[in-house]
Amino acid sequence: MTHHEHPDAALARRGYEAFSSGDMETLASLLTGDCAHHSPGESQMSGHFKGRDNVLAHYGKLMELTDGTFRVELKGVYPDGRGHVMCVHKWHADRGDRGIEMEGGLFLTIIGEKVSDLDECVADIAESDAFWGQAE
């Protein structure tokens, strides 16, 4: 059987590859100008980041707070064929004397072959909040 990847799944994979390689130009090209990333919890990394520039700044802060150790290991990409993709991953980071490894995912909404909405989920919101802490 031949595997034909759905275009929405391919878009999601390109986004993860761009993020992982630090290619923010490519990542920006995959997002709508008015996209939003929604992060769970009550930490300094939680909230609603609206607009491509704010979403990219949020990703930059992930790297800043972890001295560049933040990384994501993509485990699965599941499109519904109607403009949504569920991505499952494991993320890893070090911050100060603390490390974290946690499963999570992104639920993407795709409009016009670009990602317009990223809803983030994590396996343990309280643990994620403890890792990220409050704004300094």
Side-chain angles (χ1 to χ4, degrees):
M1 179 173 121
T2 304
H3 175 72
H4 298 284
E5 186 166 55
H6 190 276
D8 291 348
L11 174 67
R13 285 186 195 282
R14 282 196 311 275
Y16 271 82
E17 289 167 8
F19 178 88
S20 294
S21 68
D23 183 354
M24 293 301 113
E25 185 176 329
T26 295
L27 187 56
S29 75
L30 304 176
L31 303 171
T32 62
D34 64 348
C35 66
H37 183 118
H38 311 280
S39 292
E42 307 269 337
S43 77
Q44 64 180 319
M45 296 308 295
S46 301
H48 306 285
F49 304 89
K50 298 177 183 178
R52 182 187 302 126
D53 291 343
N54 290 327
V55 170
L56 294 174
H58 173 66
Y59 299 157
K61 191 170 181 181
L62 291 171
M63 293 302 178
E64 177 187 327
L65 291 175
T66 64
D67 291 325
T69 64
F70 187 90
R71 69 186 193 284
V72 177
E73 182 183 344
L74 186 60
K75 299 290 191 179
V77 178
Y78 311 104
D80 71 356
R82 298 181 320 269
H84 302 103
V85 179
M86 184 173 51
C87 302
V88 178
H89 60 246
K90 184 178 281 189
W91 59 279
H92 312 259
D94 294 311
R95 184 160 183 249
D97 62 353
R98 182 178 185 147
I100 193 168
E101 179 177 293
M102 186 177 294
E103 293 182 357
L106 293 173
F107 183 79
L108 309 177
T109 301
I110 298 170
I111 298 174
E113 300 177 5
K114 292 192 179 212
V115 177
S116 68
D117 209 58
L118 305 95
D119 286 294
E120 180 182 355
C121 298
V122 296
D124 186 332
I125 294 171
E127 180 64 21
S128 178
D129 282 349
F131 176 77
W132 292 115
Q134 297 303 309
E136 297 172 2

